[in-house]
């Protein structure tokens, strides 16, 4: 794959939908994918590392970067800024990799406007009850946080129509398979194949 043929895969989901597991499985199974590390102003959780999970920066720094136009998209989520730095896409393109973004609905909308060829995927839990069970099973959130996440999920789900694909996460293995299939199918699109087709055609001349 030549630079410039990079596809952005935009993945969004309400929390508790199983998105993190699916995305990490996708990254493990499919070669030439780069995970986009976002910038955020929220505080790191105990297990998170700066530069790996996020780049953790101050509000002031974030706002200066917005003013300088450094972000491909950015949004305020739960009172904190989150944004995708342009360099993530540049780096993926230079490596000949595709870029996988785990971003919210506002960011997905901005990115689709900026990069219409981007492929967007919305992950859904099969029902409210299953989502609630999954949030409780994680047992890392207080009751108030669980209720807020459920409430937020109801709002976020209404945006499914903005996405190219919707994945109902009933069972991890099947969902991973679908996610991998979406990436593979995108890579087989004719416009993505041009560079590979030409030398093949040449052998028939
Ligand atoms: P968390 O704080 O739980 O890591 O993420 C909260 C939300 O922010 C998630 O829905 C996640 O997808 C979203 N998010 C993470 N990075 C970005 C980003 O760079 N841009 C946007 N728009 N949303 C992001």
């Amino acid at each position: 794959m030549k630079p410039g043929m990079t596809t952005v895969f935009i993945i969004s989901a309400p929390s508790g939908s199983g998105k993190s597991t699916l995305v990490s499985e996708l990254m493990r199974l499919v070669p030439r994918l780069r995970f986009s590390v976002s910038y955020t102003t929220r505080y790191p959780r105990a297990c998170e590392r700066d530069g790996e999970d996020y780049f953790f920066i101050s509000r002031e720094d974030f706002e200066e970067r917005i003013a300088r136009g450094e972000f491909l998209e950015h949004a305020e989520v739960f009172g904190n800024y989150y944004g995708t730095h342009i360099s993530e896409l540049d780096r993926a393109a230079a490596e000949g990799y595709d870029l996988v973004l785990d971003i919210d609905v506002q960011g997905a909308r901005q990115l689709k406007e900026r990069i219409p060829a981007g492929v967007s995927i919305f992950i859904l839990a099969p029902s409210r009850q299953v989502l609630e069970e999954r949030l409780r099973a994680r047992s890392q959130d207080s009751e108030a946080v669980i209720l807020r996440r459920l409430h937020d999920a109801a709002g976020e789900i209404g945006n499914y129509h903005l996405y190219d694909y919707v994945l109902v996460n009933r069972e991890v293995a099947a969902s991973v398979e679908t996610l991998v299939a979406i990436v593979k199918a995108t890579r087989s699109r004719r416009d993505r194949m041009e560079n590979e087709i030409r030398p093949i055609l040449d052998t028939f001349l």
Side-chain angles (χ1 to χ4, degrees):
M1 189 172 76
K2 295 260 167 61
M5 294 301 284
T6 293
T7 298
V8 294
F9 291 97
I10 305 159
I11 304 180
S12 305
S15 76
S17 313
K19 176 180 57 177
S20 312
T21 309
L22 299 185
V23 170
S24 57
E25 280 299 282
L26 175 70
M27 303 298 300
R28 190 176 67 78
L29 291 168
V30 180
R32 293 185 291 112
L33 284 180
R34 181 186 172 85
F35 182 74
S36 169
V37 179
S38 297
Y39 281 64
T40 184
T41 59
R42 84 152 160 72
Y43 285 109
R45 296 180 185 129
C47 54
E48 289 179 328
R49 297 251 197 106
D50 190 38
E52 266 178 39
D53 299 282
Y54 285 103
F55 294 102
F56 297 97
I57 62 172
S58 67
R59 264 191 105 77
E60 193 189 10
D61 189 356
F62 201 102
E63 281 167 0
E64 281 169 12
R65 289 172 189 272
I66 296 174
R68 289 200 294 265
E70 288 186 23
F71 295 114
L72 270 179
E73 61 74 34
H74 69 275
E76 202 156 351
V77 187
F78 308 134
N80 288 301
Y81 282 125
Y82 293 83
T84 306
H85 200 275
I86 281 180
S87 62
E88 292 295 309
L89 180 57
D90 291 344
R91 216 169 291 152
E95 294 166 345
Y97 277 35
D98 291 317
L99 192 64
V100 175
L101 302 104
D102 167 353
I103 61 175
D104 86 321
V105 168
Q106 308 168 69
R109 186 185 280 136
Q110 291 172 43
L111 215 61
K112 268 298 239 186
E113 271 169 27
R114 200 154 170 179
I115 308 175
V119 173
S120 58
I121 306 152
F122 193 77
I123 299 172
L124 258 181
S127 69
R128 185 187 191 281
Q129 193 189 340
V130 171
L131 183 64
E132 185 167 353
E133 281 164 16
R134 287 183 187 162
L135 286 171
R136 289 190 191 287
R138 294 206 302 207
S139 69
Q140 60 183 32
D141 302 316
S142 67
E143 183 63 21
V145 169
I146 289 172
L147 292 177
R148 199 195 66 197
R149 288 189 193 276
L150 279 169
H151 176 264
D152 291 342
E156 286 168 39
I157 284 165
N159 291 297
Y160 75 90
H161 62 278
L162 297 170
Y163 290 75
D164 298 312
Y165 295 95
V166 175
L167 178 51
V168 180
N169 185 20
R170 293 193 174 84
E171 200 264 313
V172 172
S175 298
V176 169
E177 203 179 302
T178 305
L179 211 45
V180 170
I182 292 169
V183 172
K184 287 188 177 172
T186 302
R187 285 181 170 175
S188 293
R189 287 181 61 87
R190 181 181 36 75
D191 50 355
R192 279 278 307 248
M193 292 293 290
E194 289 293 347
N195 290 325
E196 215 172 304
I197 293 167
R198 262 199 226 115
I200 296 172
L201 294 187
D202 287 347
T203 69
F204 288 88
L205 292 177

